[in-house]
Amino acid sequence: MAFEPICPKPTAPGARRRIWIDFCDFWPGFRKTDNFFYHTLKRRFDVEVTDQPDYVIYADAGRHVHRIYNCVRIHFGVEPVLPDWTECDYAMSCHYLDDPRHLRLPFYAFSATAESLDKSREDPEAILAAKTRFCAFVVSNTGKRKTQKRVDFFHRLSQYKRVDSGGRAFNNIGGPLPDWMAKLEFLRTCKFNIAFENRSVPGYTTEKPVEAMQARCVPIYWGSPRIQEEFNPKSFLNYADYPNEEALIERIIELDMDDAKYLEVLRQPYFNNNQPNESFNPDRLLDFFERIFTTPIRPVSQRRRFWRLGRWIPAKLNRPHGPSPA
């Protein structure tokens, strides 16, 4: 089946709703007027970023600034933490939840596009010929117990052949990669990439396997037990598909030693039936926001509760804005 990118539906002239919004609790360097949500919302709405918004989108970077907003709070979960409905009115996360207040939006949809995973006009043999490294490992933090599985696998696979480590951990390429673009270029030179999540949680699929896919580097994946619902299982190596780690490493060695077998994997489309999964559909996300913007509610921040003395008393109060076209 031919790859068909998902294009957003056009908005009728004069029907754009104006929204006042803010962002907080994202990572350092996050730009309020140059990010995934801002650009997606601009496709359908007139967006104004203000410090006295009607809606705030916040992540889980740990600063908890969202608590000073008394408007509608929308949580975007990067980590596999369930929404706290005492703090947010709506949520987007990696979880599969049957709740109208929630939309499943894994982090890879924030950092990649469906078009970047389209292989339909590529030459797999040329891609393989350009590869000069066996396997990549890009990790910076190894001090936590949750990262031990990937570290152990790195050392075990290194017994077969050198695994190039481009992160701060076990770096053996002369220094850590400086940024995301350098990481992609590095992955392009590798046949495989160890793409292990921090933990195995259904739906918790991050940018780790997708970055390898963008670089046409076969991911060696461990993590979400439902990843095969999002991506074609024949296009990567899934730890869970093998009876033990030894069998997985034997398969990696088999593909490394046989170009024809490696090309069989490389030729596989990343999406099931070669069609982008629903997380890449902008109208699905925009419809979710449309429902938020058109549903009158009393925000959790304004519901009666017993406040304890402390810093988290709403300070950024939303103010009445002008009428918005329906």
Side-chain angles (χ1 to χ4, degrees):
M1 183 179 294
F3 179 90
E4 295 181 5
I6 301 175
C7 299
K9 299 173 184 176
T11 302
R16 295 176 67 88
R17 179 182 298 275
R18 175 167 292 183
I19 58 167
W20 288 265
I21 200 164
D22 202 4
F23 302 90
C24 69
D25 295 338
F26 282 82
W27 44 87
F30 179 86
R31 298 178 180 178
K32 292 186 178 184
T33 58
D34 186 14
N35 64 73
F36 169 78
F37 290 117
Y38 180 82
H39 291 302
T40 301
L41 288 169
K42 290 278 285 185
R43 293 177 174 181
R44 188 180 294 183
F45 307 100
D46 289 331
V47 182
E48 183 173 329
V49 176
T50 173
D51 63 357
Q52 292 184 306
D54 293 328
Y55 309 91
V56 62
I57 300 176
Y58 69 96
D60 44 20
R63 298 176 62 192
H64 305 297
V65 175
H66 65 274
R67 291 176 178 173
I68 68 175
Y69 289 81
N70 81 329
C71 60
V72 174
R73 299 173 183 168
I74 307 166
H75 180 222
F76 174 54
V78 178
E79 297 300 324
V81 179
L82 287 168
D84 182 349
W85 299 117
T86 67
E87 294 214 353
C88 64
D89 300 284
Y90 299 94
M92 299 168 285
S93 78
C94 67
H95 296 286
Y96 291 93
L97 302 180
D98 184 14
D99 191 312
R101 298 170 296 176
H102 177 267
L103 182 77
R104 182 171 185 270
L105 188 71
F107 186 67
Y108 65 74
F110 188 98
S111 58
T113 65
E115 289 74 19
S116 70
L117 302 180
D118 177 19
K119 295 181 175 180
S120 60
R121 292 177 293 276
E122 296 178 349
D123 180 357
E125 293 185 0
I127 293 173
L128 175 57
K131 296 189 177 298
T132 58
R133 292 183 169 97
F134 162 57
C135 186
F137 182 70
V138 185
V139 172
S140 295
N141 189 350
T142 62
K144 299 180 181 179
R145 183 174 60 181
K146 64 184 180 181
T147 66
Q148 193 59 45
K149 191 175 189 71
R150 67 173 70 128
V151 171
D152 291 343
F153 190 83
F154 162 74
H155 288 304
R156 187 168 185 185
L157 188 58
S158 295
Q159 294 175 8
Y160 161 66
K161 188 180 285 189
R162 173 190 168 101
V163 176
D164 288 292
S165 179
R168 290 193 297 271
F170 311 110
N171 188 278
N172 58 10
I173 64 169
L177 300 165
D179 52 36
W180 176 79
M181 288 300 298
K183 179 180 179 180
L184 280 190
E185 290 306 311
F186 171 67
L187 292 179
R188 291 186 201 281
T189 68
C190 303
K191 296 173 72 174
F192 303 93
N193 177 50
I194 299 174
F196 281 28
E197 306 288 8
N198 291 340
R199 63 187 75 175
S200 179
V201 176
Y204 182 48
T205 311
T206 70
E207 78 287 356
K208 293 178 177 67
V210 177
E211 286 178 343
M213 293 175 182
Q214 288 178 292
R216 306 306 185 253
C217 171
V218 175
I220 304 168
Y221 184 75
W222 176 87
S224 171
R226 298 183 64 171
I227 189 174
Q228 74 280 357
E229 298 174 33
E230 303 175 90
F231 298 102
N232 175 12
K234 295 180 180 180
S235 67
F236 62 97
L237 301 179
N238 190 352
Y239 193 107
D241 291 341
Y242 296 85
N244 50 54
E245 199 166 273
E246 181 177 338
L248 171 59
I249 291 178
E250 287 178 356
R251 175 59 172 164
I252 295 169
I253 295 173
E254 178 184 29
L255 296 180
D256 180 49
M257 298 181 67
D258 190 325
D259 286 353
K261 291 183 178 180
Y262 180 85
L263 286 169
E264 287 178 5
V265 177
L266 198 61
R267 288 191 177 98
Q268 287 289 330
Y270 287 128
F271 295 114
N272 291 312
N273 300 316
N274 201 23
Q275 298 303 303
N277 67 52
E278 65 177 7
S279 296
F280 289 101
N281 186 343
D283 281 314
R284 174 176 170 270
L285 177 58
L286 287 167
D287 288 345
F288 178 68
F289 277 110
E290 184 88 53
R291 192 162 65 251
I292 293 173
F293 299 154
T294 57
T295 304
I297 65 168
R298 186 179 184 186
V300 294
S301 60
Q302 298 178 23
R303 296 171 194 169
R304 185 173 181 178
R305 66 178 69 183
F306 293 99
W307 291 97
R308 293 177 295 179
L309 292 177
R311 63 177 293 202
W312 301 121
I313 296 175
K316 293 203 174 187
L317 307 179
N318 66 313
R319 59 185 178 186
H321 295 107
S324 171

